[in-house]
Amino acid sequence: MYRSRDIAVQLSERIKELSKKILAETGRDELNIMNFCGTHEWTITHYGLRSLMPPSVNLVAGPGCPVCITPGYYIDILIDASFERNTIVITYGDAFKLPGSRNKHPRSLFHAKANGGNVKVVYSFQDAVKEAVREPGKKHVFLAVGFETTMPATAIPLVSGKIPRNLYILSAYRLTPPIMRFLLEKHPEIRLDGIIAPGHVSAVIGANSWRFVAEEYGIPIVVSGFEPLDVVLSIYMILKSIEEGRPRLMNEYTRVVNPDGNTYALKAISEAYTVKDSYWRGIGSVPLSGAVHSPRYSNYDYLESMGFKETITDDKHPGCICDKVVLGLAKPTQCPLFMKACTPNNPYGPCMVSSEGTCRIWAENMPVL
Ligand code: SF4
């Protein structure tokens, strides 16, 4: 049902009519709709949804890839930790090849492991807990990368007292509404006409978390599912909202997302973590956009336990334009290294590492431009 070609084509006709009307009334020559989330970019690229849009409707990939914006400094620290005696670094697979900020070998945890570092890849935080229980004499450090979607994975075991004392967490968690606000405040040059809000994140934080976009910035925003028809319908809803002159928050993903989110998960997150200003790779320091462990759980916090200070290093590698790709200011194909020195098998920049990175998505799905 969510992949019906006929319905998609019908909707695309309506999108063409609406966009024509809006452009005639506003005098604009294009409309920019940002999909915040990497998974939406995958749907758009994989199913060739850009080819269903009129040339005037520009679908812009946004900053919704947590691996892409994880500071290189964290990776540097973990590469060093992996060579310490009795220490095991644990990561999800999508951050395994993420380069640190030092442009020399070993550049990533993948390279560290190849050079004898102690690195393990897990599918879930529960697997990390099992590893730590299995080897109680060793220190384990888990790289916690993700947006609000993945925070409950560590927050709930933390507040439930189910984490062994030899397991530390390096919190690279980042929060999505603050980066959206930052983008709207600091980068008006992108001139967004509508935003497709992340569905999975919204299942945790609630659709209402995005209301500020419509109310404070006058930009329609739709919480969207991830099937092709979800995305095409969301684009239609945005254009309809513009045409009616009523920019508002809409929820297309009501089968999963409610207005207030998952209260159980949110309670655990607010107990386990404290919000603070944090650095986003390639973007800069974003107010109240990161999470460190609250004082009660700070003995699980790897950076705090080891006395590391949050440090901003130059983690942009020469030639890589990932910082612009993440902000929607450039397309992967504008990077001279795309599919030359930077490929999914051998990623040079952070946007080519994770399956949610725009460069990786474009590399693997042959975008229809
Ligand atoms: Fe960076 Fe690679 Fe993307 Fe170029 S193709 S912007 S080097 S991640």
Side-chain angles (χ1 to χ4, degrees), residues 319-322 325 332 335-339 342-343 348-352 359:
C320 174
I321 60 164
C322 193
V325 173
C335 174
L337 307 179
F338 180 72
M339 295 308 279
C342 186
T343 63
Y348 174 73
C351 295
M352 190 61 92
C359 295

Side-chain angles (χ1 to χ4, degrees), residues 23-321:
L23 294 179
E25 282 172 7
T26 59
R28 301 275 307 279
D29 51 14
E30 67 171 11
L31 298 167
N32 296 317
I33 297 177
M34 176 175 274
N35 50 285
F36 179 97
C37 179
T39 313
H40 282 136
E41 180 57 27
W42 184 89
T43 300
I44 288 168
T45 308
H46 182 77
Y47 290 102
L49 300 187
R50 285 190 175 89
S51 68
L52 288 178
M53 298 295 125
S56 56
V57 173
N58 188 20
L59 301 183
V60 184
C65 162
V67 172
C68 304
I69 54 80
T70 292
Y73 172 64
Y74 294 168
I75 303 299
D76 299 343
I77 287 174
L78 293 180
I79 288 172
D80 293 344
S82 76
F83 291 104
E84 285 169 12
R85 257 187 102 228
N86 278 335
T87 300
I88 297 172
V89 173
I90 303 177
T91 176
Y92 291 135
D94 62 355
F96 191 36
K97 290 188 176 179
L98 182 64
S101 67
R102 299 181 294 222
N103 202 10
K104 61 175 188 183
H105 280 283
R107 295 181 72 231
S108 65
L109 291 172
F110 168 77
H111 290 120
K113 187 175 174 70
N115 283 277
N118 264 322
V119 182
K120 287 188 176 167
V121 177
V122 292
Y123 284 112
S124 72
F125 182 66
Q126 283 308 313
D127 290 342
V129 171
K130 282 182 199 155
E131 290 289 339
V133 169
R134 209 162 52 82
E135 294 195 83
K138 291 189 175 171
K139 183 197 289 181
H140 293 69
V141 191
F142 177 71
L143 172 59
V145 169
F147 294 138
E148 295 91 332
T149 330
T150 46
M151 290 179 75
T154 54
I156 292 171
L158 269 172
V159 301
S160 310
K162 291 186 176 157
I163 302 189
R165 273 308 310 125
N166 62 327
L167 175 56
Y168 296 83
I169 299 168
L170 194 163
S171 170
Y173 290 134
R174 295 294 182 265
L175 309 177
T176 51
I179 188 66
M180 199 70 249
R181 186 183 285 283
F182 179 88
L183 212 74
L184 294 170
E185 291 286 336
K186 304 286 182 196
H187 291 280
E189 72 274 24
I190 304 174
R191 185 142 192 203
L192 295 179
D193 298 286
I195 294 166
I196 299 172
H200 295 148
V201 163
S202 302
V204 175
I205 65 175
N208 279 337
S209 304
W210 302 103
R211 192 173 293 284
F212 74 94
V213 172
E215 293 187 349
E216 295 178 39
Y217 297 92
I219 297 173
I221 180 161
V222 183
V223 176
S224 175
F226 296 94
E227 293 290 346
L229 277 189
D230 287 319
V231 175
V232 179
L233 180 58
S234 298
I235 294 165
Y236 171 77
M237 290 164 77
I238 286 170
L239 294 185
K240 196 74 191 142
S241 172
I242 299 172
E243 186 221 11
E244 290 169 355
R246 284 199 307 131
R248 57 192 185 274
L249 167 68
M250 295 160 279
N251 184 3
E252 185 276 338
Y253 204 24
T254 49
R255 61 190 189 277
V256 171
V257 176
N258 68 42
D260 299 319
N262 181 330
T263 48
Y264 176 71
L266 287 172
K267 186 165 177 293
I269 290 171
S270 67
E271 202 177 317
Y273 291 99
T274 305
V275 171
K276 67 168 189 115
D277 298 353
S278 292
Y279 173 65
W280 292 56
R281 186 174 192 155
I283 295 179
S285 180
V286 178
L288 303 177
S289 68
V292 289
H293 293 91
S294 54
R296 188 163 172 199
Y297 302 102
S298 60
N299 50 350
Y300 287 98
D301 190 298
Y302 184 66
L303 294 181
E304 176 136 348
S305 300
M306 300 301 292
F308 286 113
K309 294 270 171 277
E310 284 284 351
T311 305
I312 297 179
T313 52
D314 180 8
D315 47 14
K316 183 174 176 309
H317 296 309
C320 174
I321 60 164

